[in-house]
Amino acid sequence: MSGERRRTDHERRRSRRTAATFAVKNATSGQIQLCQAEDICPGGITIKRTMEASYKPRTQVALAFSLPGSPAEISAE
């Protein structure tokens, strides 16, 4: 059974995510790490990071990335 079916309407994502693979710079507590994006939507992004780069829930992070085909860098916290 799909995990999506077990979630309430409130828990489901509000926007459909678009698959995309690109590099993401992740900065937390003054340390910069490179990560890889898996998908993106107006409300969020899923990134892969190393096992050593785990954070407690609600940890504020700063991200910087360029979407495929665009030279503009996007920064977000």
Side-chain angles (χ1 to χ4, degrees):
M1 181 188 318
S2 165
E4 191 70 16
R5 288 183 179 178
R6 289 179 279 192
R7 296 180 183 170
T8 65
D9 288 339
H10 179 70
E11 294 172 318
R12 290 187 182 138
R13 298 194 190 281
R14 301 204 192 291
S15 302
R16 179 169 253 168
R17 293 202 169 214
T18 301
T21 303
F22 52 92
V24 177
K25 289 184 278 185
N26 175 12
T28 306
S29 303
Q31 297 179 348
I32 296 177
Q33 301 168 346
L34 287 178
C35 305
Q36 178 180 320
E38 292 186 328
D39 59 40
I40 192 166
C41 75
I45 185 173
T46 301
I47 59 172
K48 285 185 181 179
R49 58 185 190 279
T50 64
M51 294 297 283
E52 299 84 39
S54 63
Y55 307 112
K56 292 181 182 179
R58 306 277 187 239
T59 298
Q60 186 172 1
V61 297
L63 303 176
F65 55 92
S66 295
L67 295 173
S70 173
E73 185 173 84
I74 297 170
S75 297
E77 285 191 22

